[in-house]
Amino acid sequence: MNTNPIPTKSSTLEQRLSLLGQNLSIAYRDPLKIVRGEMQYLYDDEGRQYLDAYNNVAHVGHCHPRVVKAGQDQMARLNTNTRYLSDLINEYAGRLIATFPPTLNKCFLVNSGSEANELALRLARTHTRARDLIVLDHAYHGNTTTMIDISPYKHDGPGGSGPPSWVHKVPLPDLYRGPYPADDVDAVYKYSQHVIEVIERLESRSLCGFIAESMPSVGGQIVLPAGYLNTVYSAVRDSGGVCIADEVQTGYGRIGTHFWGFESYEVVPDIVVLGKPIGNGHPIGAVVTTTEIAGSFANGMEFFSTFGGNNVSCAIGLTVLDTVLEEGLQTHARSVGSVLLERLRKLMSQHKIIGDVRGSGFFLGVELVRDRESREPATLEATAIVNKMRDEAVLLGTDGPFHNVLKIRPPMPFNEADADRLVETLDVALRTL
Ligand code: PMP
């Protein structure tokens, strides 16, 4: 038994700063030392409870007992790789595939969203024998070298050195802050035209694809305008490319109306990338694609991931999926999310600083502006609000190119009482500005 005294919060911080890389960020002005989690609540080292309104990884709830038990039981039984036959991986893959439209019927398992996006890009390139990729401005797809290359949020940000020549950035179709706002009747046409112009500029058959989050999150909790993906997908496919949907943040019923974000636009991607929620905190990433694309990828080079698809990950992944379905969490996100959205919109009528409230289910954004006319981002104010909320034991984050959008993406058990607590605390915090 470890008999060393538990380090105080300040010594934990001090040790961390001396031991870990400095660019690991720490949330909040007064950092939190979280020691325990239970469903939508987190507890600090002094036993204080916080309402978690933005950690979407703990999808079915922090330390959901059923998920914990599945992991513990499987750890005690076997944990090895995909080179042995296993009914568990078959069951998980089958159950996962069953949540997709019928053309998406082949699954690969990896260990993170970044790895899944890397694999998606390899699949797209092998299938199309092409290299160039179209990405949305402000997008984030992961932390590996190639994912930084395709993530304007990183390569155009501090420390970044821009995109390589094979990455083509198009404007984020943001009807609030983008170049073509909601009152421009041709906005959707204009946004999709940027993709078509890139395709026209490229040499024939050099485009491997287009990647977008179904609802861009670091872009500012953006809901894509209706019709955009339909036009873009058909232009990309006409030029020989494939369409990749990054569902790392939006999948598993989070948006309430649909199980997958892309379904809300009535499109079917060629490759779908999954991460964060599917392991409820255990590192699992997945790629789901068509028979044809998986077939092209099986070109003789073996695909193997040491940990991807291991027995413990499959047991956990399967239990998370069962829990989402059996606890009716998508319907729950839809009903509580719409109540929350309505209350946030009501708050907008009392606080001029709220420029926009948007989203679906438990994927919501509150954009703060200094002036509703000019839409000047209220970045410092957003940081102050998030810190004030933290002091009042409600955890939120900021997002968007100007970090002025409050992101609300709670664990799915978040209930109406939690929604009341969030809105009431936010109301008070906004009054103190
Ligand atoms: N895609 C999206 C949309 C993400 O938000 C993230 C992580 N924030 C990733 C990919 C990368 O996932 P991971 O951190 O698990 O590698």
Side-chain angles (χ1 to χ4, degrees), residues 14 20-21 43 67 94 100 135 161 192 208 248 278 284 291-292 300 355 380 384:
E14 210 173 295
L20 305 182
Y43 296 84
V67 178
F100 285 93
V135 304
S161 48
S192 41
C208 84
V248 166
I278 69 170
I284 311 179
T291 304
E292 294 72 29
L380 291 177

Side-chain angles (χ1 to χ4, degrees), residues 300-379:
M301 184 191 287
E302 184 203 19
F303 173 73
F304 178 67
S305 161
T306 301
F307 301 124
N310 73 69
N311 315 90
V312 171
S313 296
C314 289
I316 289 175
L318 187 57
T319 308
V320 174
L321 184 54
D322 279 343
T323 306
V324 174
L325 300 175
E326 288 169 26
E327 292 189 359
L329 293 179
Q330 178 188 325
T331 314
H332 175 76
R334 184 180 187 154
S335 63
V336 180
S338 66
V339 170
L340 179 56
L341 190 70
E342 194 185 303
R343 291 188 190 159
L344 291 167
R345 290 210 164 118
K346 216 181 257 172
L347 212 55
M348 190 172 166
S349 62
Q350 292 149 33
H351 297 279
K352 280 216 282 290
I353 193 168
I354 302 180
D356 193 33
V357 175
R358 55 183 173 252
S360 178
F362 283 156
F363 186 88
L364 303 175
V366 176
E367 179 145 2
L368 303 186
V369 291
R370 293 207 173 129
D371 175 73
R372 282 192 181 168
E373 211 41 47
S374 71
R375 300 184 183 184
E376 183 191 348
T379 304

